[in-house]
Amino acid sequence: MNATQRVLVVGGGPVGLALAGELGWRDILCTLIEKGDGRVVQPKMDFVGVRTMEFCRRWGIVPWVHEAGYNRAYPQDCAWVSSLNGYEFGREVFAPLKDEPRLPQSTYSRGERCPQNFFDPVLSRFASSFPTVTIRRETELLRFEDDGTRVTARLKDLRSGAEDTVEAAYLVGCDGGASTVREALGIPMQGSPVLTYTTNCIFRCENLEALHDKKPGYRFIFIGPEGTWATMVAINGRDQWRFSLVGDDTRRQPGEAEMRAAIVKAVGREFDFEILSIMPWVRRQLVADGYGKGRVFIAGDAAHLTSPTGGFGMNMGIQDSVDLGWKLEAVLQGWGGPELLQSYEVERRPVAIRNVNEATGNLKRMLAPRDAKPSPAVFEPGPEGDQARKEFGDRYTEMMRREWYTPGIHLGFVYESSPVIVPDGTPPPPDEVSTYTQTARPGSRAPHVWLAEDRSTLDLFGRGFVLLVFGEGDAPALVEAAEGGGLPLTVHRIDNRAAAELYARHFVLVRPDGHVAWRSDQAPDASEAARIVSVVRGCGAGAMRQAAA
């Protein structure tokens, strides 16, 4: 396998590592470079959503995620308080991760707590397990050139200062919000560059739960007379916490003394704790105008920046990696057509716009008490205060519930108008947030159904295309067209009533990423089969032009 079959991934966070792992899993030559040394002192994410966990199941690394370091017996409640030794206004109760039931629509529960300092090593271990993947840390991208046939990148080893040149078929920038790849491509971002200036502080305290009278929880939101002013989440479910002092759009960087005082205020008493790191950051709402040019693409935070309220950012990036990964494999192996890589932006950018907007809505709901200040009675003792707290807490709890229950965001995104999807004329399903109804409409995630003990329909998808056949009959023309176009295709006959009802058609073609590409009750003839295969492998426009001629 020569260098012109290589994919160069720039950025070794979770999105870059997931892309390298996906490519390695597909036996594609990949080199990942990362400026840092791999250590994470300020985890930027901690929620691995249900769709990402489905991919982890496909990759065979779910046990690694479970064992990464988070205390899965720790309660996952979210509560809003004046302080940990003050008043509790409301609480959303969630079971510990080890006890959370699976969603009826998935092989997994709502998601997993695996902060970046735990999740990155898991993904690094996964990517490194493949002989086709090389990870070079403390290596910087200096510049690159795309000549239309290959990408030539100049790299610098930050330890030795030595420079070298790497050639690749494609380059993918997974290098974060300040992406040098996106800047080099000249791709602007649209949206709100500043939602809030926030400062995170990771601190350690043994048995913090003994220092207050509240039930344990994963996340606490602190609300005072001035409104919502801080949050605190469990980093490992044991002794480490991330405290976030949430500012506004005024730029400022609190020092250690101010952060220490704010943490004491939030807990509501003096106590001993160790500050491990402090990081100011800017909460943004931005989506790139494009997801690449020529042979260079961007993914993750390089393509979309979002408020973490909802936990959508990293999970969107993993979905970017999976979508782009199988398409790069197809093109490098010769069966992917010219429209396949173009479809990456068409499919993923609308999802980013949708999710980034939802996350900003979550932020506005969390900060709502700043605009509509709580009644002073909320902070007063006695029966009147109790009643005021109940009324305020009930309203806030109901409002925040939209953020806690989001299966529609994580599972319900649809690749509408994709050039590599064959529509069936059915109307799009409603775009839901708090609910999710499975559908096999083309462009949607193929539904999960248990076929046997611990074996799901989802377990059939990943390596290549899959044709599901429900009931009697075959589709020989489609199989023959796939062979002729080099499309990897496996046929599975499904004898399961629940699955047949959900998939709702006799024949359903599912892509490697688990999205439905085509479905019908009728087996296609040779001409129609050729058209279907041409479209789903990215040769649709050319095939249509030839047919018209």
Side-chain angles (χ1 to χ4, degrees):
M1 195 177 292
N2 60 44
T4 56
Q5 293 294 104
R6 176 190 286 123
V7 177
L8 178 62
V9 177
V10 181
V15 176
L17 288 168
L19 177 57
E22 174 77 3
L23 292 170
W25 188 72
R26 298 185 177 282
D27 200 30
I28 298 299
L29 191 66
C30 172
T31 296
L32 180 148
I33 65 168
E34 162 58 35
K35 288 174 64 175
D37 60 6
R39 291 180 295 177
V40 179
V41 295
Q42 272 278 351
K44 297 178 181 178
M45 52 71 55
D46 62 17
F47 181 63
V48 184
V50 58
R51 186 59 174 151
T52 303
M53 288 305 297
E54 290 177 352
F55 294 138
C56 289
R57 176 184 173 100
R58 189 182 74 180
W59 294 330
I61 64 172
V62 167
W64 301 358
V65 177
H66 287 174
E67 298 160 6
Y70 192 91
N71 179 8
R72 303 187 74 248
Y74 194 75
Q76 293 299 290
D77 294 9
C78 298
W80 13 106
V81 299
S82 60
S83 76
L84 292 184
N85 279 290
Y87 298 112
E88 180 171 309
F89 305 123
R91 175 179 292 256
E92 196 73 26
V93 177
F94 294 105
L97 295 168
K98 70 179 184 64
D99 298 327
E100 259 202 335
R102 287 167 163 163
L103 291 176
Q105 308 99 324
S106 177
T107 57
Y108 208 76
S109 61
R110 292 185 309 123
E112 185 73 22
R113 294 293 170 200
C114 192
Q116 188 178 357
N117 54 317
F118 296 146
F119 196 48
D120 278 13
V122 166
L123 294 175
S124 180
R125 176 184 172 190
F126 170 59
S128 300
S129 69
F130 300 104
T132 57
V133 175
T134 300
I135 296 178
R136 296 175 53 180
R137 293 192 170 88
E138 296 183 80
T139 301
E140 182 180 8
L141 173 70
L142 298 178
R143 58 187 177 274
F144 64 86
E145 180 181 349
D146 175 5
D147 69 3
T149 62
R150 63 175 61 84
V151 179
T152 304
R154 190 68 175 170
L155 310 180
K156 180 178 181 179
D157 186 311
L158 298 177
R159 289 163 294 190
S160 67
E163 297 183 11
D164 66 317
T165 298
V166 171
E167 289 187 347
Y170 297 95
L171 184 151
V172 184
C174 303
D175 50 343
S179 170
T180 58
V181 174
R182 187 189 67 239
E183 289 297 319
L185 293 176
I187 298 176
M189 302 188 87
Q190 303 297 327
S192 299
V194 177
L195 296 174
T196 70
Y197 287 95
T198 296
T199 302
N200 286 358
C201 176
I202 306 296
F203 73 92
R204 178 187 289 126
C205 177
E206 294 283 351
N207 202 16
L208 178 66
E209 294 80 4
L211 300 178
H212 62 82
D213 60 357
K214 305 296 180 291
K215 294 179 181 178
Y218 152 74
R219 181 180 181 185
F220 293 96
I221 298 174
F222 298 98
I223 302 173
E226 71 273 42
T228 309
W229 64 277
T231 66
M232 190 170 76
V233 302
I235 286 295
N236 61 4
R238 294 181 177 86
D239 64 345
Q240 292 186 29
W241 300 83
R242 181 177 67 233
F243 178 82
S244 299
L245 189 61
V246 184
D248 52 23
D249 59 0
T250 303
R251 185 181 181 88
R252 60 185 304 270
Q253 295 186 7
E256 181 174 333
E258 183 176 348
M259 292 302 293
R260 186 173 288 273
I263 292 170
V264 169
K265 175 185 174 184
V267 174
R269 59 173 287 179
E270 292 286 345
F271 70 107
D272 293 328
F273 59 96
E274 177 188 5
I275 290 181
L276 302 179
S277 63
I278 294 176
M279 182 186 74
W281 60 285
V282 185
R283 196 184 309 253
R284 307 183 191 276
Q285 178 189 356
L286 295 170
V287 177
D289 282 358
Y291 274 29
K293 291 182 180 179
R295 290 178 169 266
V296 182
F297 300 90
I298 56 175
D301 283 359
H304 40 75
L305 288 165
T306 181
S307 170
T309 39
F312 307 144
M314 186 279 299
N315 294 290
M316 277 194 291
I318 300 293
Q319 294 160 17
D320 293 345
S321 292
V322 171
D323 185 280
L324 189 55
W326 77 266
K327 293 172 180 176
L328 287 168
E329 176 198 25
V331 173
L332 289 171
Q333 290 187 347
W335 57 267
E339 293 185 20
L340 194 57
L341 287 174
Q342 295 173 17
S343 73
Y344 165 63
E345 176 183 320
V346 176
E347 293 182 349
R348 294 302 306 159
R349 189 170 179 272
V351 177
I353 294 171
R354 163 196 188 244
N355 291 6
V356 165
N357 288 340
E358 180 64 23
T360 299
N362 287 337
L363 174 66
K364 291 178 178 178
R365 285 181 281 274
M366 186 184 82
L367 299 181
R370 291 185 177 183
D371 296 325
K373 298 287 193 298
S375 164
V378 165
F379 305 100
E380 297 295 330
E384 290 187 8
D386 292 341
Q387 182 61 32
R389 279 185 287 279
K390 183 180 186 311
E391 292 175 359
F392 169 74
D394 287 350
R395 289 194 305 270
Y396 193 76
T397 300
E398 183 60 32
M399 181 173 58
M400 289 298 294
R401 192 159 284 146
R402 179 177 173 118
E403 179 176 340
W404 313 136
Y405 300 95
T406 55
I409 292 290
H410 288 278
L411 298 174
F413 54 92
V414 180
Y415 295 148
E416 204 71 38
S417 303
S418 169
V420 295
I421 295 289
V422 182
D424 66 355
T426 56
D431 188 8
E432 302 286 355
V433 171
S434 303
T435 60
Y436 167 60
T437 301
Q438 296 195 95
T439 174
R441 179 179 178 269
S444 302
R445 162 190 170 273
H448 151 74
V449 179
W450 291 115
L451 300 176
E453 185 176 355
D454 203 34
R455 180 162 176 78
S456 165
T457 49
L458 303 188
D459 298 327
L460 304 176
F461 314 137
R463 292 294 183 183
F465 278 75
V466 171
L467 178 64
L468 301 180
V469 180
F470 298 91
E472 300 299 323
D474 295 298
L478 189 60
V479 173
E480 183 176 348
E483 291 176 353
L487 187 83
L489 178 66
T490 303
V491 179
H492 287 283
R493 192 174 300 278
I494 306 297
D495 183 14
N496 181 291
R497 178 176 296 180
E501 291 176 355
L502 265 178
Y503 280 81
R505 297 294 186 276
H506 194 65
F507 301 99
V508 181
L509 184 64
V510 182
R511 309 189 322 183
D513 61 351
H515 281 254
V516 175
W518 165 86
R519 67 175 180 173
S520 176
D521 277 329
Q522 305 297 322
D525 60 20
S527 175
E528 177 66 7
R531 186 187 76 86
I532 293 167
V533 169
S534 292
V535 169
V536 301
R537 69 186 187 95
C539 300
M544 295 301 289
R545 283 194 296 269
Q546 290 175 8

